[in-house]
Amino acid sequence: MAEEQGKTGKGINTGKLATNMQKRLSRAQEKVLQKLGKADETRDTAFEEGVANFNKQMAEGTKLQKDLRAYLAAVKTMHDASKRLQDCLADMYEPEWFGKEEVDTIAEETDILWSDYHDKLVDNSMIAMDTYLAQFPDVKARIAKRDRKMTDYDSARHHFGSLQKGKKQDQAKIAKAEEELGRAQKVFEEINVDLQDELPQLWNSRVGFYVNTFQSMAGYQQRFHKDMGKLNQDLNDVMTKLDEQRLAKKAGKDWKPGPKKSEAVAANHSITPDAAPKTRPAPPGPAPVRPPPSPRPSLTPAPDTQQDIISFDGEALVPDANTAPPSQATTPSQATTPSQATTPSQPQTDTAVAAAAGTATTAVTNGSSEVLPAGVIYKVKAMHDYAATDGDELEMKAGDVVLVLAWENPDEQDDGWLMGVKESHWLENKDLLAKGVFPENFTQKL
């Protein structure tokens, strides 16, 4: 009984093998005839375009998978290198140095951040990539099967046609050939229709997959670099404080750590609902009063003398023709033009009378004949040194002349503070860009 079943199974396998060999020979023969032009071939231009797109999509996906794996390997390598570097720093960092605990914490958080970043890439981007590519082998196999079934259909079609055209028509053979043709056509059309619907959908799905993949990667990278930037800032603050500690010990001074730069920046830029608007602190008190300079002799005559001069006739206003009028020396608080200069031999009353008569023609600004630059209100002179304590403040030395400017927004002006630019900068560059604020009580108006 067992021997009979074995013979039967062997016969089935042998028959199936013979059938497969016959199909392969028929397909090979059909391909040769088609290449030689002796047999026509079923062509579907739309399907062939879909197959070309499928091959392109599969090649691009395979390359993307390869590059993504390389990127993950690089992230893992960077993680390992970063961990070794942080461990090396932690081992070298001596306990008495500033920020030993902070350095250890930064090393641990950096390692966790790298691990989390790598795991998210693997769990989301890489797994999604593998799932996306897993559908291509099955579709590729079905396309190859469709090509084989199309060859079988063409072969059956040509065989049936040749029997119909033969001189001796055997109806039994014709009927059998027709039956084989119908069966081959049905199998081919079923798989052909399925692929015609599936290939365009697969081709269009690539856009959504690319968007999701790279959007998720971009989001992970953004969060990773943001958190890593905070840790790097903290490490930079620790190193800065350590250097301050080193310099203080070198100078033999006591040293206490100040607030971290990141904390100071956050405090300066944080806004709470109940916080009042930040105002500039009141200007410091002036330095000890210095002795004032000796008074300059007045050039204006007494009222009674001036009245007597005005009563003179016109000849009193004419200077001596033999006397040359050299320019009068000026002081920092008073500037004159050549038209206002007096001579040693010329009476000082000439200037007073001319001013009273309204004969002065120069443009007078800030109480003198000097024309100030556009936008300048008046000038002041620094009476004491002032060291700037903020980026928008103007540093001054005693004796500096400052051109006072109007505030662009008067609401921003704080009591006791002025906006200006050094006169030396204006004379050298002819611009008012290097402006800053300074305490008014450190200066004297000119």
Side-chain angles (χ1 to χ4, degrees), residues 375-380 402-406 418-421 438 443:
V376 177
I377 305 176
Y378 55 87
K379 296 197 299 184
V380 296
V402 181
L403 307 178
V404 179
L405 307 175
L418 300 176
M419 173 75 72
V421 61
F438 59 92
T443 63

Side-chain angles (χ1 to χ4, degrees), residues 160 163-164 168-178:
F160 176 70
L163 291 177
Q164 284 184 328
K168 298 175 79 175
Q169 295 186 358
D170 189 344
Q171 295 301 325
K173 290 183 179 180
I174 293 175
K176 184 178 180 180
E178 186 178 5

Side-chain angles (χ1 to χ4, degrees), residues 267-283:
N268 290 337
H269 292 278
S270 61
I271 300 178
T272 57
D274 56 346
K278 183 181 178 181
T279 58
R280 189 180 301 279

Side-chain angles (χ1 to χ4, degrees), residues 1 15 25 44 46 110 113 152 155 228 261 268 288 299 304 324 349 364 377 387 398 409 417 419:
M1 185 71 176
L25 290 175
D44 189 342
T110 301
L113 192 59
D152 294 341
S155 178
M228 186 62 71
K261 182 178 179 181
N268 290 337
L299 299 181
D304 54 349
T349 57
V364 178
I377 305 176
N409 185 2
W417 291 82
M419 173 75 72

Side-chain angles (χ1 to χ4, degrees), residues 339-375:
S339 62
Q340 293 177 309
T342 60
T343 64
S345 61
Q346 183 180 5
Q348 297 178 358
T349 57
D350 290 350
T351 304
V353 173
T359 59
T361 58
T362 57
V364 178
T365 307
N366 194 30
S368 67
S369 62
E370 182 181 3
V371 179
L372 298 176

